[in-house]
Amino acid sequence: MSEAARSIPLTVNGTTVRVAPGTTIAAAVLLAGDATRVSVSGEPRGPLCGMGICFECRVTIDGVPHQRSCQIICSSGIRVMTDEVLKGSGGTGTP
Amino acid sequence: MKWSFDILVVGAGPAGIAAAVTAAEAGQHVGLVDDNPAPGGQIWRKGAHLPATAHQWQARLDASSVVRLHGWRVFDCPEPYLVRAERNGSWPAHPDTEIDENRGCAELRCRALILATGARERFLPFPGWTLPNVMGAGGLDAMVRGGLPIAGKRVVIAGTGPLLLAVAAHLAARQAKVAVVCEQASLSRLARFAVGMLTEPAKLWQGARYRMTIRQTPYRTGSWPIAALGRDRLEAVTLQQGGKRWDVPCDYLGCGFHLVPNIELPDLLGCRIEDGFVATDAMLRTSVPGVYCAGEPTGIGGVELSLLEGQIAALAASGNIDRARSLARQRRRRLGFVRALQQACALDPHLRELPEEDTIICRCEDVRHRSLHDHATWRDAKLQTRCGMGPCQGRICGAAAEFLFGWHAGSVRPPLFPASVSSLVSPREPALADESLVAANALHENAKETP
Amino acid sequence: MTAAADVVIVGAGIVGAACARECASRGLTTIVVDAAGVGSGATAAGMGHIVVMDDSPMQLALTVYSQKLWREISAELPGDVEFEACGTLWVAGDDEEMDEVRRKRALYTSVGVDSEILDSQALAEAEPRLRRPLSGALLVSSDAVLYPPCAAGYLMREAVRMGARMLAPQRILSAGIGRVQLENGTELHAARIVNACGVDAARLLPGLPIRKRRGHLVITDRYPGFVRHQLVELGYLKSAHFLTTDSVAFNVQPRRTGQLLIGSSREYGAENSGVNHALLAAMVARAQAYLPEIGELQATRIWTGFRAATPDKLPLIGPWLEDGTLFLATGHEGLGITTSLATAKLLASAMLGEEAEIPAEPYLPARFLHEEGGTGLGQQVDAPERSHV
């Protein structure tokens, strides 16, 4: 994809990512090279079903945790955080 | 415009689109609500490489009067003619954006309800299946359509069912390096299916077309992944065919074992379920008056059957019985395909041996195989291990446990999907500029009257 | 087939499991039968609040005793029981409720239960997400929470380790006169049979003064640290009519997982397990009135369960005089998790003719047998109820 087509900026764990219109937040997180979730026993997880069923792609969007990133399209300026950063920094994931 | 419809269609895949368009064209005031951000469901998910049929129905939908709620998940149905849905991505206002208007919970009322809730992939646990970049076959396809770059990536597709070929063809067309497609069904079983399908030339052609697109890719039958390898993400997959095992380095594994119908909503409404599917008559009427069901929840039959069923349900629900009857005759001729497909995709019993003792079965709660296999029932296992108690509500591990242990999940309760606590109290007003919520909100009034 | 034992316990909820453990530890050969599995009835539906309650002096004595027993074994409870000594905050919304806080504190002090009065500021610091201002609260630090199905599972495993046998799932046809008949044809013989079937107790013993009282609970996704204590309102003081009708109260519990349980509701006459949307809405609205931000959290599941309610809000523990072999351990209403261990002690003492650590009379089933020639049912007036746990 050309850089020009990547017109939507957002941040994933503080790093700015630019994506094409219509890109899901789940795809943006994978583009940023991050796991979406850390499981209850500490495993990194990524999207599984891609259709809002499995809840593996949950991330924190603008401070609100547990959002299914595969079902939400990126909009400009949103801030996405994943468990790896939230749990790693001692955050609780609470809004 | 009121949030009160003649006909409300839940699910905007082929069956739901066909139902909504047909009903609207018959003069009905129609609402269409779907969890995904755009219409098309899983099989017609937005993006390139869609068949002409998809574009035709999409154009009819665009030209219709159907009120569309994309990105709303139905989480409750307190009575047959009242559906409660919550908007996805409802988060507080952010100073840099205007996404506050996205939040909301709606009550949608109707005279008739058409359930076209589609199907999901069946996932079977094997060592490493929880590694990032191991996805469903349809899951990987959806991620690619959602913007995941796949060109030049090494991909293995595995599982069972016609979806595997469709996904492999789509990814290959996007310059993915599809290393191999592994189909668990044996060649003899597939051959029986193909012979049976001689009455369905369109279907055979579709398969052949996919094979042409991926003709450089080996298609192995009686074959499946036995392990996904990697540290923090997938690096390779170990495949097995007969006595032979080998590793294939790859970036993505798309692995799904055919489909499981989404029957939670019909089940909640009390529709009769038979052998895991929603029971209907020829007019697609369920056992609950005024509630129709179309598409995969009545039997996994693919796009063409779903389109027919959506139309039949819509015609029946809008009183066009004669037209519905004539389509019902076409539908009857296709039901053989449903049975043949189910037989062809029957799971090899050896797949039960895939999980090792420490393989995770329930991904939400990280419940491992060793803590499950001694329980007698799904409920017992659930209560003692938390298996199926996470936010997916057992949609992933439930289907696996049914195959692995022969357990059947219990009754369905609201919320069908996790929903905001506040949505359990009363719906927020949906902030679509030209529309307002129906005035009568019985639940809200009740809540206020209760001291 | 037939089998014999010293004791057959019917019902493997937390009460039956606790009784099994106690009987086995006293050297009695014990068989437990259940129509489903361990802890799958009211045990699975409850919050798992180990709480001292004072609706009556008898309730206070039982809960204080049982809470002490839980504390004694808390160190040996496995991780999946999720025992968390988080304490209870009885939240006061106004001066009248603060008077209740002081009354409660004096009473708790008199029976040796430590508690602490928090003023408005201290409460806001202890639970920053509670709405402000509130008048204060009583903190009962010795209260705890746990995950009831696994607690029952642990007690049952302990019983089995000490020689008890478990038969489940087995539907039970009858239990009495030294004999328990199962649907599969098995007949169990024992000198003592314990009916610990919760709300189903009356199925095996018609006429038992037990009514179903349905409750709803909501559980959220994981939000660690959202609240730190079990939070219960004292607002029931102004809702006297709730005593006889359906009612809701603010009652929120933090789980070790970070999940929150939101309760509570009470209704008589509801026989099915479906969700009463109006009552649920009222219950959640009540929680929002105290924790305004709770509305933003994701609810993952809602369920209902049935409490086994007796007319005087006290359980039935001890011999059933009309059948010399039959003992009861049921009718625990909303306190079965807390009082299961004390129930087991009282029951074992009754069986073995020992004196119990607390007076057993208030809980004896015989208290419903004193009236003219019968069980005296139907003339019972519901005892007042002030709490909503």
Side-chain angles (χ1 to χ4, degrees), chain B residues 76 379 383-384 386 393 419 421, chain C residues 40 147 149 259 277 297 299-300:
Chain B
D76 198 1
R379 179 166 167 78
L383 289 173
Q384 293 296 322
R386 311 181 66 88
Q393 303 176 324
V421 168
Chain C
S40 63
Y147 177 60
Q259 293 170 290
H277 282 80
L297 311 188
T300 54

Side-chain angles (χ1 to χ4, degrees), chain B residues 393-416:
Chain B
Q393 303 176 324
R395 282 179 173 82
I396 305 300
C397 63
E402 185 174 344
F403 174 66
L404 293 174
F405 309 116
W407 295 338
H408 294 283
S411 60
V412 174
R413 289 223 189 89
L416 292 166

Side-chain angles (χ1 to χ4, degrees), chain C residues 341-352:
Chain C
L341 297 184
T343 298
K345 293 279 188 200
L346 292 173
L347 185 86
S349 298
M351 283 178 176
L352 299 172

Side-chain angles (χ1 to χ4, degrees), chain B residues 288-302:
Chain B
V288 177
V291 178
Y292 299 72
C293 188
E296 311 292 38
T298 69
I300 307 294

